[in-house]
Amino acid sequence: MKEMDHIIKTESEIRSKYQITIPEEIRSKAKLNIGDKLIWQYDDVRSEIIVMPKPKSFSDKLWGLGKNQWENEPADDYVKKERESW
């Protein structure tokens, strides 16, 4: 797979009341439905607008994040080693 093969690029127009239509291909891939909320973010450094679906539950969305971090060393051992280094 090429580096950018997983990215969909498309466009939409800003209408008179600053409304936009989310292109069907994006809505479908992101599984967006009427009533879903979006989070908007602007990156000053890159001059980019980032739009993402707002999770229905942030705790569900973050569940398991970083689980691979502790594959080689149990978390308790890591914390113990860090405390000993103080």
Side-chain angles (χ1 to χ4, degrees), residues 57-73:
S57 165
F58 281 97
S59 60
D60 288 347
K61 187 72 173 174
L62 296 174
W63 185 262
L65 188 64
K67 66 182 175 186
N68 298 337
Q69 183 173 353
W70 306 111
E71 286 179 343
N72 299 327
E73 180 177 29

Side-chain angles (χ1 to χ4, degrees), residues 1-28:
M1 180 186 329
K2 293 180 193 168
E3 185 178 327
M4 302 288 278
D5 280 352
H6 64 282
I7 297 174
I8 298 170
K9 291 188 176 188
T10 187
E11 65 181 50
S12 58
E13 181 181 344
I14 299 173
R15 302 291 178 158
S16 61
K17 294 182 181 181
Y18 293 94
Q19 295 175 323
I20 60 168
T21 298
I22 303 167
E24 192 278 328
E25 189 176 10
I26 301 290
R27 287 192 323 259
S28 175

Side-chain angles (χ1 to χ4, degrees), residues 3 5-6 10-12 26 30-31 33-35 40 42 45-46 50 56-57 61 76-77 81:
E3 185 178 327
D5 280 352
H6 64 282
T10 187
E11 65 181 50
S12 58
I26 301 290
K31 299 179 178 145
N33 294 300
I34 293 172
W40 292 75
Y42 183 74
V45 174
R46 297 174 67 171
I50 301 153
K56 296 189 183 355
S57 165
K61 187 72 173 174
D76 291 342
D77 293 346
K81 191 171 23 174

